[in-house]
Amino acid sequence: MKILVVNVNTTESMTASIASQARAAASPGTEIVGLTPEFGAESVEGNFESYLAAIAVMDRVITYDGEYDAVIQAGFGEHGKEGLQELLDVPVLDITEAAAHVASMLGRKFSVVTSLDRTVPLIEERLLVAGLNAHCASVRASGLGVLDVERSKDRAVAAIVEQAVRAIQEDHAEVIVLGCGGMAGLDVAVREATTAPVVDGVASAVQLAESLVALSLTTSKLRTYASPGAKRVLSWPLSEHLS
Amino acid sequence: MKILVVNVNTTESMTASIASQARAAASPGTEIVGLTPEFGAESVEGNFESYLAAIAVMDRVITYDGEYDAVIQAGFGEHGKEGLQELLDVPVLDITEAAAHVASMLGRKFSVVTSLDRTVPLIEERLLVAGLNAHCASVRASGLGVLDVERSKDRAVAAIVEQAVRAIQEDHAEVIVLGCGGMAGLDVAVREATTAPVVDGVASAVQLAESLVALSLTTSKLRTYASPGAKRVLSWPLSEHLS
Amino acid sequence: MKILVVNVNTTESMTASIASQARAAASPGTEIVGLTPEFGAESVEGNFESYLAAIAVMDRVITYDGEYDAVIQAGFGEHGKEGLQELLDVPVLDITEAAAHVASMLGRKFSVVTSLDRTVPLIEERLLVAGLNAHCASVRASGLGVLDVERSKDRAVAAIVEQAVRAIQEDHAEVIVLGCGGMAGLDVAVREATTAPVVDGVASAVQLAESLVALSLTTSKLRTYASPGAKRVLSWPLSEHLS
Amino acid sequence: MKILVVNVNTTESMTASIASQARAAASPGTEIVGLTPEFGAESVEGNFESYLAAIAVMDRVITYDGEYDAVIQAGFGEHGKEGLQELLDVPVLDITEAAAHVASMLGRKFSVVTSLDRTVPLIEERLLVAGLNAHCASVRASGLGVLDVERSKDRAVAAIVEQAVRAIQEDHAEVIVLGCGGMAGLDVAVREATTAPVVDGVASAVQLAESLVALSLTTSKLRTYASPGAKRVLSWPLSEHLS
Amino acid sequence: MKILVVNVNTTESMTASIASQARAAASPGTEIVGLTPEFGAESVEGNFESYLAAIAVMDRVITYDGEYDAVIQAGFGEHGKEGLQELLDVPVLDITEAAAHVASMLGRKFSVVTSLDRTVPLIEERLLVAGLNAHCASVRASGLGVLDVERSKDRAVAAIVEQAVRAIQEDHAEVIVLGCGGMAGLDVAVREATTAPVVDGVASAVQLAESLVALSLTTSKLRTYASPGAKRVLSWPLSEHLS
Amino acid sequence: MKILVVNVNTTESMTASIASQARAAASPGTEIVGLTPEFGAESVEGNFESYLAAIAVMDRVITYDGEYDAVIQAGFGEHGKEGLQELLDVPVLDITEAAAHVASMLGRKFSVVTSLDRTVPLIEERLLVAGLNAHCASVRASGLGVLDVERSKDRAVAAIVEQAVRAIQEDHAEVIVLGCGGMAGLDVAVREATTAPVVDGVASAVQLAESLVALSLTTSKLRTYASPGAKRVLSWPLSEHLS
């Protein structure tokens, strides 16, 4: 089985880190291919950057030369998953939804701890649209930017644990979700500090992607995610027209 | 990995059928153990029977002599999962939630096709409590009792397909969930007749249970599903006191 | 008129206390019969114990030898009412819903003060399922176990008042509901300390049961609460098979 | 015990009919006083008329010369109950909420059958504001005006039964609520035709009012329904200034 | 274009202040006519006063002798708009809804800062009924009565800013709505102190009324706001019968 | 005042038609500039095309050389408005929200009639995210593609009227919203055929944009729509890197 794991920003080291986390979660026999978009922001922390990432991820997947069994969009709270679902016939997972599904199976309420405060509304909106917000106790910001998390893991753990503890005590969270692709690999440290189950979106998405493939299930093409109609699309794929 | 799959009714042939479906969905190396409650109804189609099943399932699991890595409660729309989660340290899946999680990853709206009309409210209520109702387009009854489904697979497929088609056309469902443990194995026929992805709860739960175990995640013990306090419980486990 | 008031735990002294509260609230001519389950936990403070109580209450009512006009399940936030409604032709009240109905008539928002923190989710879930959560400002825990409340009324009043005051000031509650069967009789003290109307579930249920009987209204048998179909139910009623 | 039952329109014969229904539902020893507003519409079937009725009902109660234990606003889906709750120290019931409370105790979903289509939104809005809409399956119009119902009981029963049957079959209602003060007394005929429990708002409100009085409970004065502050109110009560 | 701006209380100086604010917001060529009800409270801070104002506003508009293109009900959180919509053919705006519409276009969440705590529930209810509550972060009380706001603008600004800052920091509001007709003109000072956009209901309603008139759009008469049927209405309009 | 009206597809004739509709709705002194994206689909009827349009619209606005007072994204149900709000300091309107705001002021429930069935979920999702879905009775598809609507206005009117009538009769809509940028100008014909107010998104957005400018209000920069942080964004703006 081969799974494409697509980073949403253009920072290659984050793609490597995400792919590494994905490999650690994959079953034997599953190949993980990490992909980096050809254009877009070095970190995604708002709507403009997220919309640009949405298109950059679709562009990267559509121009990927090879076969694969599933695709994971590895940005937390980002736009675009529905577009990928239209374009592809294989299952598409995004890490926000994957993490929320897994967290819901482990406790009655989960809280997300993310990077900057300005990304909180994006995550809340994704959960609302996915119909997965009812058991979300809160989305809390650690105050660290995506690249800060990447740079200093120790500082990140401390900031995440602080918010996780407040989520448990004040918001009645029973499960913690790491709400940023750059937090991949920090789950063990946060779990030890809080005693709560800690869910990583990338790892969750890999396991769920394997499950869908094993069940021979893929995206419904009946209505919302039907393939786009045949029509003129100027300059698409964009990366092939960029100089 | 060993997974206990517990039927909710006392009909042994249904346990066999469910266990067989679970085995077909399991990964190599996963052992499936089918269990039948020691007391309760031969089919579960209402609240009284479902509450009795809830306790009978807990009783059966608690008196099971052996190790296991996860437990699946194989009744659709039934009470009791939360009790199991309190009693156990391993992950607990119930097939209603497992099917809803999987269906949500495949399309924007799913419909459940179940047995009798009187079980529709139970399923709606379980989805509400699980926070998984927002993308449920409808729960529809085929009009066949649980044991009727078991007895005549052809008749069952015809009745399910009729409601599935109406769910797609009238309720805008994009995915169909088979809403009865006894429908295990009918997914292929319904998929062929409707072109929609068709989700089986038992198969879904097996894959998701394997995922949670692979991710080393289990039920949070922080609040709702904390182990019961030490106290006097008369005649428990019940099966050990039944003559 | 004769009303059965069924305790959910197996502590006889609590049955006596609940029955006494019920008698104080009953109209002249109403006979109250207090019943204790034949099996189950000495106090109910979680899902496992609550599910067991659900079945134990149904068992106790079904084996009661005599006529009656209504049944009250006297556990706050407990499972099982729907099963009783299927089994019986007379009105069934549970004290969570009864208290919420009465509280809704007295103010715009009510808060529940219950025993342990772990029972809060059960109460929230019952109100959600009953469609009575929209005007619930909060469910707060006093931190006292069910039997602690029973043992020290003064300490219980102090702990309840502390949370009630916070519910009024922080959550904008206008009415306080005592969220534990063992709190029967504490309403006057809490009312005096807070100036809010204080609603006791047992007393409310008695009055509402009398009202339904007076109106010649009983449970609809059209769909959800139709009598169970004729089928084989192993070892039921359980108490008749317990050695 | 003395209960004021206030009609919302100025048609004296409807006041008599409502008071008669109230007396039939009252316990021995309860005195029912029917009151008619001093101004307003001969029937209330829309927002303008309902707002005018709200004030006319408050005016009528405030100018009533005598003691009483509870007040019932006997218009279905009408504005104004909250104002009465501010002005009075005794319990205030309105028949929409009273019927919804009683219906909720009898089945999982109820439907309201009212007079004209244009009153449907008023009822839906009242249930939403009261937090009692979650278990309302539908509000359906019989197509008969308030005074038509009053004039021809047989025709009214036929029109109500037609909608009640559709509510049961299409909307999954298990209980029928008569959604018009003028339908008082038709419950038995509708019950016989549908086999569903049929709830009359006036009768329900009488029983619930008696319950609140018996429980020594009345409206919270903590926030929403606190008594109006002392201030200049021009021409109030209006009826004392009308020539 | 001529717009009637109707105060909800009987304090003439407030009518003048509201009309002045409306004039400042109006486009060249728009004439503003301020109207004061003939009866009712000198300030509206609760349900009784608000219901009385609802009728007094309708009465004042209906007895206005002249042509006009739109009507604005200039009370925040007050009852009655729907009645005006039935009675009139021109567009009707109320300042609560107008402010919420405008605030929703400026940020993801808005908070309302109003006068007394007891008016908070009225505003919450109006937003709920209008379907505009989803993006309302909170409704907060400044603690000043309507006439206090009118009397001391400096004190009012300080009290509003205090709550606005808390709304931004604690409730994640991004836009502040001034929730009291008497706060007209304070928007600039609050904006400077908070850096948030500050929305005034009267100004918003004037602009939106002009927009509806420019678009040749007016209230639908299809169902909810159809004109009242022809019927006997005692003593209406009330002001013509008051001595 | 100058307003940019940005088409979401790359069909120049549709830009012209939309700009023309905008000009008809604008006040004297308002200049309308129609803009066409540099890349993307000739019509937008699904998530992939809509996400691409989101970025193409931002790209087009950001590379526009000139001053302006407001921007309108003229695609119904499309992604991207939040990104524009981050990038710009002037007010941003999208026609879905503008139409929903205006429709909400005209009646209690509105229905949207759009192009293809597959665009229905996009519109429902936009209304949900905007918090404007509570009064949306339904979103219905006419069955005509975006360019079909553009080509045959008569056929479009007939198909829209058919669905509008059903929305009024079956879904209780009181106002009709034209849910496709290409339907600009059809409002009069649909209004005449249905007697309902018919709302055009482009015209509504123009009027609302003028209102926000007149009120000196613009997007809050406090949290969700704060300007993007300074960071490396590869190949942005895309149109400047396209060969």
Side-chain angles (χ1 to χ4, degrees):
Chain A
M1 191 182 312
K2 188 159 105 182
I3 300 176
L4 304 189
V5 179
V6 199
N7 185 7
V8 293
N9 63 41
T10 50
T11 300
E12 298 274 3
S13 62
M14 271 197 66
T15 307
S17 157
I18 288 166
S20 164
Q21 172 82 351
R23 270 177 212 114
S27 300
T30 296
E31 179 189 355
I32 299 293
V33 176
L35 296 178
T36 309
E38 298 284 329
F39 53 90
E42 62 184 328
S43 65
V44 177
E45 295 160 330
N47 276 288
F48 156 60
E49 294 158 6
S50 180
Y51 276 121
L52 187 53
I55 282 302
V57 166
M58 290 183 226
D59 179 279
R60 187 65 197 87
V61 171
I62 235 57
T63 58
Y64 175 77
D65 189 18
E67 306 255 309
Y68 46 88
D69 298 287
V71 173
I72 293 170
Q73 172 169 314
F76 209 95
E78 308 312 348
H79 294 286
K81 191 207 61 160
E82 308 93 322
L84 273 176
Q85 287 179 298
E86 287 179 13
L87 294 174
L88 306 180
D89 285 329
V90 299
V92 176
L93 281 287
D94 101 317
I95 65 172
T96 324
E97 295 182 23
H101 284 299
V102 167
S104 298
M105 297 180 221
L106 303 174
R108 187 167 167 273
K109 294 274 181 184
F110 64 88
S111 282
V112 178
V113 182
T114 185
S115 53
L116 298 181
D117 183 56
R118 68 176 297 162
T119 68
V120 170
L122 279 100
I123 295 171
E124 291 176 344
E125 187 182 302
R126 285 311 299 180
L127 293 173
L128 172 68
V129 165
L132 292 167
N133 59 319
H135 285 214
C136 178
S138 58
V139 182
R140 284 175 168 271
S142 65
L144 298 177
V146 170
L147 299 182
D148 294 329
V149 170
E150 186 71 5
R151 271 180 220 120
S152 169
K153 298 287 183 186
D154 286 356
R155 202 173 139 220
V157 167
I160 293 165
V161 167
E162 185 188 335
Q163 293 302 317
V165 167
R166 291 186 57 187
I168 292 165
Q169 289 174 351
E170 298 173 21
D171 312 330
H172 300 302
E174 303 180 2
V175 180
I176 299 300
V177 169
L178 299 182
C180 170
M183 292 175 182
L186 306 187
D187 48 345
V188 175
V190 179
R191 192 177 313 171
E192 281 170 5
T194 61
T195 78
V198 178
V199 177
D200 175 85
V202 173
S204 299
V206 169
Q207 278 293 323
L208 294 179
E210 289 185 352
S211 292
L212 297 185
V213 173
L215 292 164
S216 301
L217 288 168
T218 187
T219 308
S220 175
K221 292 291 167 180
L222 286 183
R223 194 191 199 205
T224 309
Y225 306 128
S227 303
K231 64 179 69 167
R232 195 169 47 105
V233 183
L234 284 187
S235 304
W236 181 253
L238 287 161
S239 61
E240 299 190 350
H241 297 77
L242 291 173
S243 57
Chain B
M1 191 183 314
K2 188 158 105 181
I3 301 176
L4 304 188
V5 180
V6 198
N7 186 7
V8 294
N9 65 40
T10 48
T11 301
E12 298 273 3
S13 63
M14 270 197 65
T15 307
S17 156
I18 288 166
S20 165
Q21 173 82 351
R23 270 176 213 115
S27 300
T30 296
E31 180 189 355
I32 299 294
V33 177
L35 296 178
T36 308
E38 298 283 329
F39 53 90
E42 61 184 328
S43 64
V44 176
E45 294 160 331
N47 276 288
F48 156 60
E49 294 158 6
S50 181
Y51 276 120
L52 187 53
I55 282 301
V57 166
M58 291 183 227
D59 179 280
R60 188 64 196 86
V61 171
I62 234 55
T63 58
Y64 176 76
D65 189 19
E67 306 256 308
Y68 47 89
D69 298 287
V71 173
I72 293 169
Q73 171 168 314
F76 209 94
E78 308 312 348
H79 294 286
K81 190 207 61 159
E82 308 93 321
L84 272 176
Q85 287 178 298
E86 287 178 13
L87 293 173
L88 306 180
D89 286 328
V90 299
V92 175
L93 280 288
D94 101 315
I95 64 172
T96 325
E97 295 183 22
H101 283 299
V102 167
S104 298
M105 297 182 223
L106 303 174
R108 188 166 166 272
K109 294 275 180 184
F110 65 88
S111 281
V112 178
V113 182
T114 185
S115 53
L116 298 181
D117 184 56
R118 69 175 295 162
T119 68
V120 170
L122 279 100
I123 295 171
E124 291 176 344
E125 187 182 302
R126 285 311 298 182
L127 293 173
L128 172 68
V129 165
L132 292 167
N133 58 319
H135 285 214
C136 178
S138 58
V139 182
R140 285 175 167 272
S142 65
L144 298 177
V146 170
L147 299 182
D148 294 328
V149 170
E150 185 71 6
R151 271 179 221 119
S152 168
K153 296 287 183 186
D154 286 354
R155 202 171 140 222
V157 167
I160 294 166
V161 167
E162 184 188 336
Q163 293 303 317
V165 167
R166 292 186 58 187
I168 292 166
Q169 289 174 351
E170 298 172 22
D171 312 331
H172 300 303
E174 304 180 1
V175 179
I176 298 299
V177 169
L178 298 182
C180 170
M183 292 176 183
L186 306 187
D187 49 346
V188 176
V190 179
R191 193 178 315 173
E192 282 169 6
T194 61
T195 79
V198 177
V199 177
D200 175 85
V202 172
S204 299
V206 168
Q207 278 293 322
L208 294 179
E210 290 185 352
S211 292
L212 296 185
V213 173
L215 293 164
S216 301
L217 288 168
T218 187
T219 308
S220 175
K221 291 291 167 180
L222 285 183
R223 193 190 197 204
T224 310
Y225 305 128
S227 302
K231 63 179 70 168
R232 198 168 45 106
V233 184
L234 285 187
S235 304
W236 181 254
L238 287 160
S239 61
E240 298 190 351
H241 298 77
L242 290 173
S243 57
Chain C
M1 190 183 313
K2 187 159 104 181
I3 301 176
L4 305 188
V5 179
V6 198
N7 186 8
V8 293
N9 64 41
T10 49
T11 300
E12 299 274 4
S13 62
M14 271 197 64
T15 307
S17 157
I18 289 166
S20 164
Q21 173 81 352
R23 269 176 213 114
S27 300
T30 296
E31 179 190 356
I32 299 294
V33 176
L35 296 178
T36 309
E38 298 283 330
F39 53 90
E42 62 184 327
S43 64
V44 177
E45 293 159 332
N47 276 288
F48 155 61
E49 294 158 6
S50 181
Y51 276 119
L52 187 53
I55 282 302
V57 166
M58 291 183 226
D59 179 279
R60 187 65 197 86
V61 172
I62 235 56
T63 58
Y64 176 75
D65 189 19
E67 307 254 310
Y68 47 87
D69 299 287
V71 172
I72 293 170
Q73 171 169 314
F76 209 94
E78 308 312 347
H79 294 287
K81 190 207 63 160
E82 308 93 321
L84 273 176
Q85 286 179 300
E86 286 178 14
L87 294 173
L88 306 180
D89 285 329
V90 299
V92 175
L93 281 288
D94 101 315
I95 65 172
T96 324
E97 295 182 22
H101 283 299
V102 167
S104 298
M105 297 181 222
L106 303 174
R108 187 167 166 272
K109 295 274 180 183
F110 63 88
S111 282
V112 178
V113 182
T114 185
S115 53
L116 299 181
D117 184 56
R118 69 175 298 162
T119 67
V120 169
L122 280 99
I123 295 171
E124 291 176 344
E125 187 182 302
R126 285 310 299 181
L127 293 173
L128 173 69
V129 165
L132 292 168
N133 59 319
H135 284 213
C136 178
S138 58
V139 182
R140 285 174 167 271
S142 65
L144 298 177
V146 171
L147 300 182
D148 294 329
V149 170
E150 185 72 4
R151 270 178 221 120
S152 168
K153 297 287 185 186
D154 285 356
R155 202 172 139 220
V157 166
I160 293 165
V161 166
E162 185 189 335
Q163 294 302 318
V165 167
R166 291 186 57 187
I168 292 165
Q169 288 174 351
E170 299 173 21
D171 312 329
H172 300 302
E174 305 180 1
V175 179
I176 299 300
V177 168
L178 299 181
C180 170
M183 292 175 183
L186 307 186
D187 50 345
V188 175
V190 179
R191 192 178 315 173
E192 281 169 5
T194 62
T195 77
V198 177
V199 176
D200 175 85
V202 172
S204 299
V206 168
Q207 277 293 323
L208 295 178
E210 290 185 352
S211 292
L212 298 185
V213 173
L215 292 164
S216 301
L217 288 167
T218 187
T219 307
S220 175
K221 291 290 168 181
L222 286 183
R223 192 190 199 207
T224 309
Y225 306 127
S227 302
K231 63 179 69 167
R232 197 169 45 107
V233 183
L234 286 187
S235 304
W236 182 253
L238 287 161
S239 61
E240 298 190 349
H241 298 77
L242 290 173
S243 56
Chain D
M1 191 183 312
K2 187 160 104 182
I3 300 175
L4 304 189
V5 180
V6 198
N7 186 8
V8 293
N9 65 40
T10 49
T11 300
E12 299 274 3
S13 63
M14 271 198 63
T15 307
S17 157
I18 289 165
S20 165
Q21 173 81 351
R23 270 177 212 113
S27 300
T30 296
E31 179 189 357
I32 300 293
V33 177
L35 296 179
T36 309
E38 298 283 330
F39 53 90
E42 62 184 327
S43 64
V44 177
E45 294 159 331
N47 275 289
F48 156 60
E49 294 158 5
S50 181
Y51 276 119
L52 187 53
I55 282 301
V57 166
M58 291 183 226
D59 178 279
R60 187 64 197 88
V61 171
I62 235 54
T63 58
Y64 176 76
D65 189 19
E67 307 255 309
Y68 47 88
D69 298 286
V71 173
I72 293 170
Q73 172 170 312
F76 209 94
E78 308 313 348
H79 294 286
K81 190 207 64 160
E82 307 94 320
L84 272 175
Q85 287 179 298
E86 286 178 14
L87 293 173
L88 306 180
D89 285 329
V90 299
V92 175
L93 281 288
D94 101 316
I95 65 173
T96 324
E97 295 183 21
H101 283 299
V102 166
S104 298
M105 296 180 222
L106 303 173
R108 187 166 168 273
K109 295 275 180 184
F110 63 89
S111 282
V112 177
V113 182
T114 184
S115 53
L116 298 182
D117 184 57
R118 70 174 297 162
T119 68
V120 169
L122 280 99
I123 294 171
E124 291 176 343
E125 187 181 302
R126 284 313 296 182
L127 293 173
L128 172 69
V129 165
L132 292 168
N133 58 318
H135 285 215
C136 178
S138 58
V139 182
R140 285 174 167 272
S142 66
L144 298 177
V146 170
L147 299 182
D148 294 329
V149 170
E150 186 71 5
R151 270 179 221 120
S152 167
K153 297 286 184 186
D154 286 355
R155 203 173 138 219
V157 167
I160 294 166
V161 166
E162 185 189 334
Q163 294 302 318
V165 167
R166 292 187 57 187
I168 292 165
Q169 289 174 351
E170 299 173 22
D171 312 331
H172 300 302
E174 305 179 1
V175 179
I176 299 299
V177 169
L178 299 182
C180 170
M183 292 176 183
L186 306 187
D187 49 345
V188 175
V190 179
R191 192 178 315 173
E192 281 169 4
T194 61
T195 77
V198 177
V199 176
D200 175 85
V202 172
S204 299
V206 168
Q207 278 292 325
L208 295 179
E210 290 184 351
S211 291
L212 297 185
V213 172
L215 293 164
S216 302
L217 288 167
T218 186
T219 307
S220 174
K221 291 291 169 180
L222 285 183
R223 194 191 197 205
T224 310
Y225 306 127
S227 303
K231 63 179 68 167
R232 198 171 44 108
V233 183
L234 286 187
S235 303
W236 181 254
L238 288 160
S239 61
E240 299 191 350
H241 298 76
L242 290 173
S243 56
Chain E
M1 191 183 311
K2 188 159 105 182
I3 301 175
L4 304 188
V5 180
V6 198
N7 185 8
V8 294
N9 64 40
T10 49
T11 300
E12 298 274 3
S13 63
M14 271 197 65
T15 307
S17 158
I18 288 166
S20 165
Q21 172 81 351
R23 270 176 213 115
S27 299
T30 296
E31 180 190 354
I32 300 294
V33 177
L35 296 178
T36 309
E38 298 283 330
F39 53 90
E42 62 183 328
S43 64
V44 176
E45 294 160 330
N47 276 289
F48 156 60
E49 294 158 6
S50 181
Y51 276 120
L52 187 54
I55 282 301
V57 166
M58 290 182 226
D59 179 279
R60 188 63 197 89
V61 171
I62 236 54
T63 59
Y64 176 76
D65 189 20
E67 306 255 309
Y68 47 88
D69 299 286
V71 173
I72 294 169
Q73 172 169 314
F76 210 94
E78 308 312 348
H79 295 287
K81 190 206 62 161
E82 308 93 320
L84 272 177
Q85 287 179 299
E86 287 178 12
L87 293 174
L88 305 180
D89 287 327
V90 299
V92 176
L93 281 288
D94 101 315
I95 64 172
T96 325
E97 295 183 21
H101 284 299
V102 167
S104 298
M105 296 180 222
L106 303 174
R108 187 167 168 271
K109 295 274 180 184
F110 64 88
S111 282
V112 178
V113 182
T114 185
S115 54
L116 299 181
D117 184 56
R118 70 175 296 162
T119 68
V120 170
L122 279 99
I123 294 171
E124 291 176 344
E125 186 182 304
R126 284 310 300 181
L127 293 173
L128 172 69
V129 165
L132 293 168
N133 59 318
H135 285 214
C136 178
S138 58
V139 182
R140 285 175 167 272
S142 66
L144 298 178
V146 170
L147 299 182
D148 294 328
V149 170
E150 186 71 5
R151 270 178 221 120
S152 168
K153 297 287 182 185
D154 286 353
R155 204 173 138 218
V157 167
I160 294 166
V161 167
E162 184 188 335
Q163 294 302 318
V165 167
R166 292 186 58 186
I168 293 165
Q169 290 174 350
E170 299 173 21
D171 312 330
H172 300 301
E174 303 180 1
V175 180
I176 299 299
V177 169
L178 299 182
C180 169
M183 292 175 182
L186 306 187
D187 48 346
V188 175
V190 179
R191 192 178 315 172
E192 281 169 5
T194 61
T195 78
V198 177
V199 177
D200 175 84
V202 172
S204 298
V206 168
Q207 278 293 324
L208 295 179
E210 289 185 353
S211 291
L212 296 185
V213 173
L215 293 164
S216 301
L217 289 167
T218 187
T219 307
S220 175
K221 291 291 167 180
L222 286 182
R223 194 190 198 205
T224 310
Y225 306 127
S227 303
K231 64 179 69 169
R232 196 169 45 107
V233 184
L234 285 187
S235 304
W236 181 253
L238 287 160
S239 60
E240 299 190 350
H241 298 77
L242 290 172
S243 57
Chain F
M1 192 183 312
K2 187 159 105 182
I3 301 176
L4 305 189
V5 179
V6 199
N7 185 8
V8 293
N9 64 40
T10 49
T11 300
E12 298 274 3
S13 62
M14 270 196 66
T15 308
S17 157
I18 288 166
S20 165
Q21 173 81 352
R23 270 176 213 115
S27 299
T30 297
E31 180 190 355
I32 299 293
V33 177
L35 295 178
T36 310
E38 298 283 329
F39 54 89
E42 63 184 327
S43 65
V44 177
E45 294 160 330
N47 276 288
F48 156 60
E49 294 158 6
S50 181
Y51 276 120
L52 187 54
I55 283 301
V57 166
M58 289 183 227
D59 179 279
R60 188 64 196 89
V61 171
I62 234 57
T63 57
Y64 176 76
D65 189 20
E67 306 256 309
Y68 47 88
D69 299 287
V71 173
I72 293 169
Q73 173 169 314
F76 209 95
E78 308 312 347
H79 294 287
K81 190 208 62 162
E82 307 93 321
L84 273 176
Q85 288 179 298
E86 287 178 13
L87 294 173
L88 305 180
D89 285 329
V90 299
V92 175
L93 282 287
D94 101 315
I95 64 172
T96 324
E97 295 183 22
H101 284 300
V102 167
S104 299
M105 297 180 223
L106 303 174
R108 188 167 167 271
K109 295 274 181 186
F110 64 88
S111 282
V112 178
V113 183
T114 185
S115 53
L116 299 181
D117 184 55
R118 69 176 296 161
T119 68
V120 170
L122 278 101
I123 295 170
E124 291 176 345
E125 187 182 303
R126 284 312 299 181
L127 293 173
L128 172 68
V129 165
L132 292 168
N133 59 318
H135 285 213
C136 178
S138 58
V139 182
R140 286 175 167 271
S142 65
L144 298 177
V146 170
L147 299 182
D148 294 329
V149 169
E150 185 71 5
R151 271 178 222 121
S152 169
K153 297 286 185 187
D154 286 354
R155 201 172 140 221
V157 167
I160 294 165
V161 166
E162 184 188 337
Q163 293 302 317
V165 167
R166 292 186 57 188
I168 293 165
Q169 289 174 350
E170 298 173 23
D171 312 331
H172 300 302
E174 303 180 2
V175 179
I176 299 299
V177 169
L178 299 182
C180 171
M183 292 175 182
L186 306 187
D187 49 344
V188 176
V190 179
R191 192 178 315 172
E192 280 169 7
T194 61
T195 78
V198 177
V199 177
D200 174 85
V202 172
S204 298
V206 168
Q207 278 293 322
L208 295 179
E210 289 185 352
S211 292
L212 296 185
V213 173
L215 292 165
S216 302
L217 289 167
T218 187
T219 308
S220 175
K221 292 290 167 179
L222 286 183
R223 193 190 198 207
T224 309
Y225 306 128
S227 303
K231 64 180 68 168
R232 198 169 44 107
V233 183
L234 285 187
S235 303
W236 182 253
L238 288 161
S239 61
E240 299 191 349
H241 297 77
L242 290 173
S243 55

